[in-house]
Amino acid sequence: MSNQLTRRDFAIRTAGFGLAGFHLAGLKAMGLAPAALAEAEQAARSETSPPIADPHSLDPYSLVDPELLSVLKQFPAVDLTLEMAIKFRQMPGMPPLPAPAPQPVERHIPGPPGAPEVRIWIVDPAPIEKGKPLLLHMHGGGFMMTGPMLMPEIQAIATDCRCVVVSVDYRLAPETPYPGALEDNYAALKWVHAHAAELGIDRSRIAVGGESAGGTHAASLAIHARDRNEVPIVFQLLIYPALDDRTGSSNPPPPAIGNFIWTASANRLAWSSLLGVPAGSSKVPAAAVPARVASVAGLPPAWIGVGAIDLFAEEDMEYARRLVHAGVATELLVMRGAFHGFDLLVPDAEVSKQFSASWKSALRKAFAGGKAV
C-alpha cells in the first residue's frame, strides 16, 4: 500500500507540469513559425477567456467519480511555460521497481536516415524464453515531455502481460516537429522486427501502444506501417489517445468534457508544437493526424479506452466508429466519471482497476490469438 501511495503522490507532484496548459511564450521561444503563432495567439485570446457563469450550468466536479475526486482537487491550475517544460524534462522520473520486477535495459539503435540514434528501453520478464510477444510502447507527455512514471509502467506491462516491452524515447516537440517522432518510432519498429532472434520474440506478434500522446504516436505508427507494408502489427493499444488536432480549436468540446487535467487550450498548443502549424487549421498535413487520415481500412485490431469526461472522449469514440465501419476488430471502453490520466493518478480506485484490467486482458488476448501477416 505504501508503494501505491508513493507512486500516486509522485504523480500528483509532477503531472501538473506534464498535463497542464501550454504557454504561447514557450512556442515563441522555440521558434514556431510567426504565422502559426499569430493564429494560435488569436485562438488563445478568443477561446481561453473565462466564460460567463450560467447559474443553471452543471458543476463539472459533479461528474467526477467519487473515488477520483479528492486527488483531482489537489491539482492547482497551472499554465505551463517553456521554462517549466524544460525543468520538467530535467526532473528525474520515478525509478524502476526493484527486483524481482524485470529491469529496464537501455539501448541505442540506428535512427531514421540522417537523424540521430534512437534510445530505447527494453524490459524482458523472461530473458531465456523464445517466441515471446512484444509491445512497442510510446510514452505520453503532451508530445513535449516524458511521462514521470514510465519505468514502473513498462515494467508492470511486461510482468502482467508476459511480453517484452520496448519503449521508444522519440524526439520531442517543438524542437522536432512532425514527422520526426513518427520516424523514430518506425525505426524502432523495424529494429525490433529485424532483431527478433536477439530479443527472443515472435515477429508475428508485435503490438504497438501507448497512453495519451503515446496513443497518438501508436495510432500514427499503425497507419504508417500499414502504408509502408514492411512490418506486420498484430494489435494497437490506444489508452486515451489524442487523435484529432481539431479538438479544442475548430471543434470546440461540449461543456461536460475536458475541464480537468487536459484542456482545450492545452490540446491546441500541444498539437501546434508537434505539427509546426496551428492545430485545427487547413495547413495541417492529413497524414500527421489519425483522425484526418482518409481511410482506416486494413489497420490492426484495436482497443481504445477513455474517460467519459476526458477531452478526448468524442474523438476516441469517433475513431472507434470508423474502425468498426472499416471492418477492423475494435473494442471501445468509456469509463464513467473518469478524466484524463485518472488511472495513473488514482490506481486503487475501482474505475481505475476496471480500466487497467480491460486493456491488459485485451493485450493478452491479442498475443494469444491470431498472428499478424
Side-chain angles (χ1 to χ4, degrees), residues 112-132:
E117 288 186 327
V118 177
R119 181 168 62 169
I120 61 173
W121 289 278
I122 304 171
V123 180
D124 188 346
I128 64 173
E129 293 183 12
K130 303 298 182 184
K132 294 164 291 192

Side-chain angles (χ1 to χ4, degrees), residues 52-274:
I52 298 174
D54 178 357
H56 303 292
S57 63
L58 187 65
D59 175 12
Y61 284 104
S62 69
L63 301 175
V64 179
D65 183 282
E67 285 192 273
L68 307 176
L69 194 55
S70 62
V71 171
L72 177 63
K73 287 188 173 181
Q74 295 180 48
F75 276 85
V78 178
D79 198 18
L80 187 67
T81 64
L82 174 62
E83 292 75 19
M84 291 168 63
I86 292 174
K87 287 180 181 179
F88 181 82
R89 291 183 186 179
Q90 295 170 347
M91 289 175 61
M94 190 170 184
L97 301 173
Q103 297 301 295
V105 176
E106 181 179 332
R107 291 282 298 268
H108 293 259
I109 63 173
E117 288 186 327
V118 177
R119 181 168 62 169
I120 61 173
W121 289 278
I122 304 171
V123 180
D124 188 346
I128 64 173
E129 293 183 12
K130 303 298 182 184
K132 294 164 291 192
L134 179 140
L135 174 68
L136 187 68
H137 173 265
M138 276 64 72
H139 65 76
F143 305 131
M144 295 181 70
M145 294 162 286
T146 302
M149 293 185 289
L150 173 63
M151 293 306 172
E153 287 174 20
I154 59 178
Q155 288 174 287
I157 296 171
T159 300
D160 295 345
C161 299
R162 296 294 297 173
C163 65
V164 179
V165 179
V166 173
S167 190
V168 189
D169 186 22
Y170 55 81
R171 286 171 291 170
L172 300 173
E175 298 95 326
T176 303
Y178 172 84
L182 171 62
E183 293 297 345
D184 288 350
N185 294 329
Y186 190 73
L189 177 65
K190 291 192 68 176
W191 185 87
V192 298
H193 187 261
H195 291 77
E198 175 188 344
L199 294 169
I201 67 163
D202 178 353
R203 63 173 54 181
S204 70
R205 292 194 293 162
I206 297 173
V208 298
E211 64 287 341
S212 193
T216 314
H217 287 310
S220 292
L221 181 59
I223 294 167
H224 197 59
R226 175 201 64 181
D227 294 344
R228 291 198 178 183
N229 197 29
E230 295 177 316
V231 180
I233 293 174
V234 73
F235 187 69
Q236 50 181 327
L237 176 66
L238 309 181
I239 302 173
Y240 34 78
L243 299 174
D244 195 340
D245 68 291
R246 295 164 292 193
T247 296
S249 53
S250 56
N251 292 344
I257 72 171
N259 293 297
F260 305 113
I261 306 298
W262 191 257
T263 65
S265 174
N267 208 44
R268 289 195 302 273
L269 295 174
W271 273 108
S272 296
S273 73
L274 175 70

